[in-house]
Amino acid sequence: MAIRKIRVIGDEILRKKCKPVKEISPRIEDLVEDMFETMYDANGVGLAAPQVGVLKRIVVIDVEDGNQYVLINPEILETRGSQTGSEGCLSVPGKSGIVTRPDYVKVRAYDLSMDVFELEGEGLLARAICHECDHLEGDLYVDKVEGELVDVASEEDFEEIEGVE
Ligand code: NI
């Protein structure tokens, strides 16, 4: 396991569309482990592979509901409702902004055995799924911010905001 360097906004890799994973190699398994380690080290609740410079459709999420989610080739099947709230991104350090997202999301993805599964999320989990799936298309939350990005004032606030990614 290793902590990988998180790419920050301005790095063009964050704007590229990611390629589907065709098979789970030891390299992919290592990548997923490293993504969790990198995410926890940065106090995030989600991370997408392009954020560590890998253009593959892989997302990891842990919104502290007791579950670690690995979503390979995720596809959002259904969304409902909406939630408007503060969001941040480990690739946009020190900033946050208001983004409206669905309040419920159903996603289909593959796990590390390449078995297909469906995951339903509400609230923060729904927000995290949408935010991370956007990364796979080269989309960043800053494109969707209502109003201006704001500076995150203190270390304490920063950790709270990073609670959204
Ligand atoms: Ni992000």
Side-chain angles (χ1 to χ4, degrees):
M1 299 247 287
I3 292 168
R4 301 202 184 192
K5 182 175 172 235
I6 297 177
R7 305 299 182 100
V8 297
I9 189 165
D11 188 325
E12 60 184 47
I13 205 161
L14 292 171
R15 292 303 192 173
K16 294 190 170 154
K17 195 173 155 122
C18 295
K19 295 205 169 76
V21 174
K22 289 182 184 150
E23 61 176 355
I24 304 300
S25 61
R27 253 178 104 165
I28 297 277
E29 290 172 342
D30 287 348
L31 170 66
V32 167
E33 276 194 19
D34 289 353
M35 284 172 66
F36 274 114
E37 189 171 350
T38 303
M39 179 186 81
Y40 291 132
D41 179 66
N43 296 313
V45 302
L47 194 72
Q51 293 184 273
V52 292
V54 179
L55 287 170
K56 290 193 183 297
R57 302 185 79 80
I58 303 173
V59 160
V60 300
I61 293 172
D62 182 347
V63 293
E64 296 173 345
D65 64 352
N67 293 298
Q68 287 186 325
Y69 302 107
V70 179
L71 306 180
I72 294 169
N73 303 338
E75 185 187 346
I76 291 175
L77 301 176
E78 195 182 327
T79 64
R80 282 204 297 269
S82 76
Q83 55 175 317
T84 299
S86 186
E87 194 164 315
C89 177
L90 296 178
S91 293
V92 190
K95 302 281 184 184
S96 72
I98 300 297
V99 183
T100 298
R101 300 281 192 184
D103 194 47
Y104 164 91
V105 173
K106 185 198 278 187
V107 65
R108 179 169 60 210
Y110 295 84
D111 64 18
L112 280 170
S113 304
M114 281 309 256
D115 289 326
V116 70
F117 68 99
E118 288 183 4
L119 171 67
E120 294 175 291
E122 294 181 349
L124 179 58
L125 180 56
R127 181 179 289 280
I129 291 168
C130 293
H131 178 117
E132 301 311 331
C133 286
D134 277 356
H135 274 297
L136 305 181
E137 299 299 320
D139 295 333
L140 297 176
Y141 88 96
V142 296
D143 309 331
K144 299 184 172 168
V145 160
E146 297 158 28
E148 299 291 318
L149 279 183
V150 296
D151 289 325
V152 178
S154 70
E155 182 72 14
E156 196 172 85
D157 289 344
F158 184 71
E159 288 187 5
E160 269 176 37
I161 297 302
E162 289 295 342
V164 187
E165 148 152 281

